[in-house]
Amino acid sequence: MFNTEFIAFDSYAPPRVVTNDDLSKLVDTSDEWISSRTGISQRHISEGENTSEICIKVAEGLLKKSGLAPDEIDLIIVATITPDFATPNTACLVQAAIGAENAFAFDISAACSGFVFASSIADKYIKSGMCKNAIVIGAETLSKIVNWEDRTTCVLFGDGGAGVVMSRGERNCYLAEDMHSDGSLGLRLTGGETKVRNAYSAPEEADRRYLEMDGRTIFNFSTKRVPASINILLDKAGLTIDDIDYVVPHQANSRIVEVVAKKLGISMDRFYMNIASYGNTSAASIPMALAQMDREGLLKKGTKLVITGFGGGLTWGSALIEI
């Protein structure tokens, strides 16, 4: 069995910044209402760039930072719930754009857990010997499935993408994982529904295109499942929370993270948060945080991180990685 290392991080967000005050001109809300309930101050919103274009910029940055040539990439995985098309998949569009002719490419859809699940998949391909270098990206253009007249959801989400290069190396840096799903609660968070409409079926109901969320259920689910998952993960690795340098959670809501921190018995200082600047970017949120940590010099060799995602599906999962 081979070892998996993390060798590069990068991110990209559309340049248009939309503040809470900007949103107050669109819907009945305010900066105080949004920031006090979510921890969000602003978000980046696409003015035309689609998910594949965001991913391509991330992939180009990852190649530059890793020093790898496009033909050295064996695998590309994109985690997203907002692809450009049902087919071709977003990862194939990335593969073509960067010239990674030797890579096979596919998308996964696991919403806010998507990056955690995708990095787990890449780790298995590398450890099995099937791949040497993988690009794993989480990216979303959530603004295209948000109802901009619904103040309960439009204030939460942003656009952006980020990713990592995972490669065969001398050290094992993907140390443990804990992954779960509960489809019985799946309809508590939905988006992008497409009903059967053909020559033999014409449903009267409109498609539920926009994101819809039972906020209370999602809050209760997250604050129960996430600390339990992290504790299971640490037990598997034979570590305690005191051995971890940072917990990097899906950036969903600062109140959720505060409850998780309390249940784990640690301070919020141990959680890396950038939700104030980007909002909830679903599958992009964890890698965007990792990329920012890298720019800030926080990801030094030997740094131990717990990454934990939770959201639509419902899905949740955590992984222990070492830089």
Side-chain angles (χ1 to χ4, degrees):
M1 183 178 291
F2 296 94
N3 294 321
T4 299
E5 293 187 358
F6 293 80
I7 66 170
F9 304 84
D10 203 22
S11 65
Y12 173 78
R16 176 64 182 268
V17 173
V18 176
T19 66
N20 292 345
D21 286 332
D22 292 332
L23 287 182
S24 70
K25 300 172 185 177
L26 299 178
V27 292
D28 181 17
T29 191
S30 68
D31 175 60
E32 190 281 330
W33 191 92
I34 300 169
S35 60
S36 65
R37 288 164 174 78
T38 68
I40 299 168
S41 298
Q42 63 178 44
R43 71 286 296 145
H44 291 248
I45 298 296
S46 172
E47 293 184 287
E49 292 173 294
N50 213 335
T51 304
S52 67
E53 296 169 276
I54 292 172
C55 289
I56 289 164
K57 290 180 179 178
V58 172
E60 290 172 342
L62 289 171
L63 288 175
K64 183 176 180 180
K65 288 187 174 183
S66 68
L68 293 171
D71 62 4
E72 293 180 280
I73 304 299
D74 308 302
L75 170 64
I76 300 171
I77 307 176
V78 171
T80 186
I81 58 169
T82 54
D84 298 20
F85 305 97
T87 189
N89 68 54
T90 311
C92 281
L93 297 175
V94 173
Q95 184 227 27
I98 66 173
E101 59 186 22
N102 295 322
F104 65 103
F106 59 89
D107 293 358
I108 71 162
S109 176
C112 307
S113 305
F115 178 78
V116 179
F117 285 19
S119 62
S120 171
I121 294 168
D123 170 66
K124 306 309 173 291
Y125 275 111
I126 292 168
K127 283 182 175 168
S128 70
M130 290 184 64
C131 294
K132 186 175 181 181
N133 299 303
I135 287 177
V136 180
I137 297 172
E140 304 287 8
T141 315
L142 292 167
S143 60
K144 66 185 182 182
I145 63 169
V146 165
N147 181 353
W148 288 92
E149 297 180 354
D150 177 9
R151 73 168 188 163
T152 65
T153 55
C154 75
V155 302
L156 301 175
F157 299 101
D159 300 334
V164 300
V165 175
M166 299 170 65
S167 296
R168 186 187 304 171
E170 296 181 358
R171 300 182 303 130
N172 179 30
C173 297
Y174 192 96
L175 304 178
E177 63 188 4
D178 177 65
M179 308 291 176
H180 302 275
S181 298
D182 182 359
S184 70
L185 295 174
L187 296 182
R188 301 300 178 94
L189 201 171
T190 62
E193 180 190 40
T194 304
K195 293 183 183 296
V196 177
R197 298 180 187 277
N198 58 37
Y200 306 98
S201 176
E204 295 180 2
E205 303 87 357
D207 295 345
R208 294 162 64 186
R209 173 188 173 193
Y210 297 123
L211 281 169
E212 298 179 13
M213 179 171 59
D214 177 346
R216 176 52 56 185
T217 294
I218 300 304
F219 184 92
N220 291 339
F221 147 76
S222 303
T223 54
K224 177 182 179 181
R225 298 298 189 181
V226 172
S229 177
I230 292 173
N231 283 326
I232 291 170
L233 179 74
L234 294 172
D235 286 343
K236 288 181 178 180
L239 300 175
T240 71
I241 195 66
D242 293 331
D243 297 311
I244 305 304
D245 295 295
Y246 295 99
V247 178
V248 185
H250 163 51
Q251 311 285 308
N253 183 309
S254 60
R255 286 185 172 180
I256 290 175
V257 179
E258 288 169 1
V259 174
V260 171
K262 184 176 181 179
K263 288 189 173 182
L264 290 173
I266 59 176
S267 72
M268 282 291 289
D269 293 341
R270 301 280 299 281
F271 288 78
Y272 188 86
M273 300 289 292
N274 64 357
I275 190 173
S277 299
Y278 296 102
N280 181 340
T281 55
S282 190
S285 75
I286 292 173
M288 288 182 78
L290 291 173
Q292 186 168 336
M293 293 176 75
D294 185 50
R295 290 192 295 271
E296 294 174 1
L298 298 177
L299 300 186
K300 299 178 174 63
K301 185 175 181 179
T303 301
K304 287 186 174 63
L305 308 171
V306 168
I307 59 174
T308 185
F310 47 93
L314 296 181
T315 59
W316 69 102
S318 304
L320 174 63
I321 65 176
E322 182 176 316
I323 304 304

